[in-house]
Amino acid sequence: MEELPFDPEELEDESPQLYEHHRFVVDKGQVPVRIDKYMCEKLTHSSRNRIQKAAEAGFVHVNDRPVKSNYKVRPGDVVTLMLDRPRFETTIEPEDIPLDIVYEDDEVMVVNKPAGMVVHPGCGNFSGTLINAVAWHLRDLEGYDPNDPEVGLVHRIDKDTTGLLVVAKTPEAKSRLGVQFFNKTTHRSYLAIVWGNLVEDTGRIEGNIARDPKDRLRMTVMPPDSEVGKPAVTHYRVVERLGYVTLVECVLETGRTHQIRAHMRHIGHPLFGDERYGGTEILRGERSTTYKAFISNCLKVCPRQALHAQTLGFVHPRTGKQMDFTSPLPADLSALIDKWHVYMKGNEYKSGLYES
């Protein structure tokens, strides 16, 4: 997100023509919170003071009406930032980038995203994205405009997370899929390798997800009854215990930014290799030179957070048929698991040997 292109000192016309720059639909689970706090979480490169000035100038609207900074957003509110100049848009150009297409028909396309690929232009990544690749693949499809927000990606995953995403080819498909994601009727599960040996085989993590005030590029967890952040729930199940790390399946009730990464860190089990959330540190295990070299080799094998969007399920927007897809573990995560298998065998793993 760019900084708000707004300076109240430059205003001369008391009734300027306004242009929409940002639009947010408040989640149905959102607790009442001041709109300046809400927008500050959304527009991560803008200060709260700058948003307050925009509201004072009548540039912050809720349901097509200007509101003040102390307005409390409610579920279903449509929040827009309206400024007195057209928004600079980054035009999405088709780029010949290989795509791993899992499924495709006239309405939808399911793709398997590799690690290191940004899904959408922005924040310094204006080319080489998944959207640029999709634009090339669909360049001859009549009526498909990659710059039209009514078509394209329906949801996103992080740059260094691998796995499944669905693309809508038509406005009708995107609208119907969007309703499913909003109502949480889709099914998505992730595989993650986390630090530590989880005590329970299954668990539920609940806590509001909000921007970390100490690091705006990281999310943090607030109490469920907090007015800060968005409600979030993650369910996990142990798939395999690998000594000082654990392979877990995570199923989301909500789809917040960095939800799994923040939730697992919150319970003391950050994702292995997740630099932003402390996962590149040696958080469990020995302090020997040999063990440190082993972890270093593991991080070279998988130099990213160990997170993979494994399954995706939704109702087809035209046929009404249930569609379910599964993506195999990528090579780097498979290699990482193999290394832990070898380590466990070499250290004569036995129950109770490894700390939680």
Side-chain angles (χ1 to χ4, degrees):
M1 294 284 187
E2 72 274 17
E3 183 176 348
L4 291 183
F6 161 73
D7 187 345
E9 300 298 326
E10 296 177 1
L11 285 181
E12 296 179 357
D13 187 350
E14 292 183 354
S15 302
Q17 179 179 356
L18 299 182
Y19 302 86
E20 181 178 307
H21 280 236
H22 296 284
R23 171 181 290 259
F24 310 107
V25 179
V26 180
D27 288 348
K28 62 182 181 181
Q30 175 70 51
V31 296
V33 63
R34 283 176 58 110
I35 196 166
D36 51 355
K37 287 186 179 180
Y38 177 82
M39 293 187 70
C40 193
E41 289 184 7
K42 294 289 187 180
L43 303 171
T44 58
H45 295 283
S46 295
S47 68
R48 187 172 175 185
N49 180 258
R50 198 168 182 83
I51 292 171
Q52 289 172 344
K53 288 182 177 179
E56 290 171 6
F59 287 174
V60 175
H61 292 201
V62 174
N63 304 326
D64 298 323
R65 294 175 178 269
V67 297
K68 299 301 182 183
S69 299
N70 62 355
Y71 175 88
K72 291 191 175 182
V73 299
R74 294 169 175 80
D77 277 350
V78 178
V79 178
T80 52
L81 176 66
M82 309 292 293
L83 299 182
D84 62 334
R85 67 204 72 178
R87 178 180 178 179
F88 172 77
E89 295 284 1
T90 301
T91 300
I92 298 170
E93 299 292 343
E95 295 180 38
D96 188 4
I97 302 170
L99 276 176
D100 181 3
I101 300 173
V102 177
Y103 174 83
E104 184 175 13
D105 62 26
D106 292 341
E107 282 80 24
V108 299
M109 179 167 65
V110 177
V111 298
N112 196 25
K113 189 188 83 67
M117 176 181 274
V118 176
V119 298
H120 200 282
C123 299
N125 299 285
F126 298 110
S127 64
T129 74
L130 181 65
I131 284 298
N132 295 112
V134 169
W136 176 271
H137 180 74
L138 300 179
R139 65 192 183 282
D140 296 326
L141 179 62
E142 184 178 355
Y144 185 86
D145 179 1
N147 294 285
D148 183 355
E150 293 189 349
V151 295
L153 275 175
V154 184
H155 59 123
R156 303 184 184 189
I157 56 178
D158 296 335
K159 173 184 177 182
D160 288 324
T161 299
T162 53
L164 297 170
L165 290 163
V166 60
V167 177
K169 293 184 176 183
T170 67
E172 294 79 10
K174 187 165 186 181
S175 176
R176 291 172 183 174
L177 287 170
V179 169
Q180 293 181 50
F181 276 87
F182 182 80
N183 290 331
K184 304 177 181 62
T185 58
T186 58
H187 176 80
R188 288 178 289 165
S189 70
Y190 294 73
L191 284 178
I193 300 174
V194 302
W195 276 104
N197 187 12
L198 282 77
V199 175
E200 303 293 336
D201 288 337
T202 61
R204 182 179 188 272
I205 310 168
E206 182 175 4
N208 289 10
I209 300 289
R211 291 281 170 187
D212 189 333
K214 296 180 181 179
D215 183 351
R216 299 289 291 171
L217 297 179
R218 185 172 66 188
M219 308 303 286
T220 192
V221 178
M222 301 294 182
D225 58 352
S226 171
E227 291 190 2
V228 180
K230 292 183 176 181
V233 176
T234 302
H235 299 269
Y236 68 83
R237 177 182 65 86
V238 171
V239 176
E240 185 177 7
R241 299 182 184 276
L242 298 166
Y244 295 122
V245 299
T246 305
L247 177 65
V248 297
E249 178 190 41
C250 295
V251 176
L252 307 181
E253 277 192 25
T254 53
R256 310 304 184 198
T257 301
H258 294 187
Q259 178 173 323
I260 294 173
R261 300 167 68 186
H263 268 175
M264 296 310 295
R265 179 177 182 267
H266 178 64
I267 65 170
H269 296 280
L271 270 62
F272 188 89
D274 192 346
E275 182 176 9
R276 186 160 298 283
Y277 289 86
T280 55
E281 302 294 327
I282 298 179
L283 301 179
R284 302 289 196 283
E286 309 165 18
R287 291 296 179 264
S288 67
T289 301
T290 301
Y291 182 71
K292 290 178 181 178
F294 166 72
I295 295 300
S296 178
N297 287 333
C298 285
L299 293 171
K300 290 176 182 176
V301 165
C302 185
R304 63 179 182 96
Q305 70 259 15
L307 184 62
H308 176 62
Q310 182 188 38
T311 68
L312 173 64
F314 56 86
V315 173
H316 193 280
R318 178 177 59 83
T319 67
K321 178 183 176 182
Q322 178 66 35
M323 309 289 287
D324 293 293
F325 303 93
T326 300
S327 169
L329 268 179
D332 56 355
L333 288 187
S334 293
L336 178 60
I337 292 172
D338 288 343
K339 287 188 73 68
W340 278 101
H341 283 157
V342 172
Y343 180 82
M344 290 174 66
K345 182 178 294 186
N347 286 270
E348 297 181 348
Y349 173 75
K350 56 185 178 180
S351 179
L353 176 62
Y354 295 108
E355 58 193 289
S356 62

